Amino acid sequence: MPDQSLTATQAQVDGRLGHGGLVIVVGPSGAGKDSLIEGYKAKAAGHSMLMFVRRLITRPAEAGHEDHEAISYTELEKKIENGDVALSWGAHNLLYALPKSVDSHIASGGVAIANGSRRIIPHALAKYQHTLVIHITAPVEVLAHRLAQRGRETEEDIANRLRRAEMTFGSAPNVTTIENVSSLDVGVALFEQAIETFIKGLSQDR
């Protein structure tokens, strides 16, 4: 159980927020990030140390397949300007953010797991003492097939997403790459192993 007595300020270590940690799940569209997160969430039910982050996104609540908090562009811009979110970024003509509750959960010793973006990794590393990047990937032909199957994008959208799939995110000290080309059970098991190793490392640092 995370220690609720610590505040974000008290948990500052070398200018960064410490005690717990952030897991950022990144990778191209079609790699299966949501499936692995949801699969692990079902296995980890009742694990009080874990927070599965519900993102703020400037799109209607019924759009897409992700359970998110819908918010207007203006409202989210104001939250970002006032420092009322943990991290934020723009993609696909939308604004995304992780809620401020992520910081208090990490300060209390918990682990927050969030579907993120490669572009926020440097900001996360600068803000949090303990960050794990889980990079979900798959061959381009697999990504193309999955994107076509889900039927949410035009051919032009798919082409743009496949081009972004080739983006790199530079160096990060703690990265686990999962090539998600096997069964869901195999992918979730690898995802679970990465997080359990991360949690063990946090315990050893305390």
Side-chain angles (χ1 to χ4, degrees):
M1 175 80 67
D3 179 0
Q4 300 297 333
S5 64
L6 281 176
T7 67
T9 301
Q10 290 169 330
Q12 291 283 331
V13 178
D14 67 14
R16 295 181 295 167
L17 189 60
H19 196 45
L22 176 67
V23 177
I24 311 174
V25 185
V26 303
S29 298
K33 300 183 295 293
D34 288 334
S35 297
L36 296 189
I37 292 171
E38 289 302 316
Y40 177 61
K41 182 177 180 180
K43 288 188 71 173
H47 198 319
S48 61
M49 186 179 191
L50 300 178
M51 173 187 188
F52 291 87
V53 180
R54 189 167 180 256
R55 303 190 296 180
L56 289 77
I57 308 178
T58 56
R59 69 181 176 202
E62 66 275 9
H65 297 279
E66 176 186 349
D67 176 25
H68 65 279
E69 181 179 340
I71 186 170
S72 73
Y73 209 97
T74 302
E75 287 177 301
L76 188 48
E77 278 189 318
K78 187 173 181 180
K79 278 182 173 289
I80 294 169
E81 184 179 329
N82 292 338
D84 291 334
V85 300
L87 290 169
S88 63
W89 67 98
H92 315 306
N93 298 316
L94 299 169
L95 272 181
Y96 296 76
L98 306 186
K100 194 68 174 175
S101 56
V102 166
D103 289 350
S104 56
H105 184 76
I106 290 172
S108 68
V111 172
I113 301 170
N115 188 342
S117 166
R118 286 166 283 191
R119 68 190 65 190
I120 66 164
I121 292 172
H123 303 287
L125 294 174
K127 181 171 184 177
Y128 303 105
Q129 186 187 19
H130 303 292
T131 302
L132 168 65
V133 177
I134 300 183
H135 180 216
I136 313 298
T137 187
V140 172
E141 60 272 16
V142 173
L143 299 176
H145 178 70
R146 289 174 179 170
L147 289 172
Q149 275 198 320
R150 72 186 190 181
R152 282 157 45 190
E153 292 89 5
T154 65
E155 288 186 8
E156 182 180 356
D157 289 336
I158 290 174
N160 288 335
R161 287 175 184 267
L162 292 176
R163 277 194 291 272
R164 283 194 291 270
E166 299 175 356
M167 286 174 54
T168 60
F169 50 79
S171 61
N174 196 4
V175 180
T176 295
T177 297
I178 298 174
E179 188 171 50
N180 189 26
V181 293
S182 189
S183 68
L184 179 60
D185 286 346
V186 169
V188 171
L190 292 171
F191 192 91
E192 179 181 29
Q193 182 181 14
I195 292 177
E196 291 301 320
T197 300
F198 180 59
I199 291 173
K200 189 179 295 183
L202 290 177
S203 301
Q204 291 171 351
D205 284 347
R206 291 172 185 169

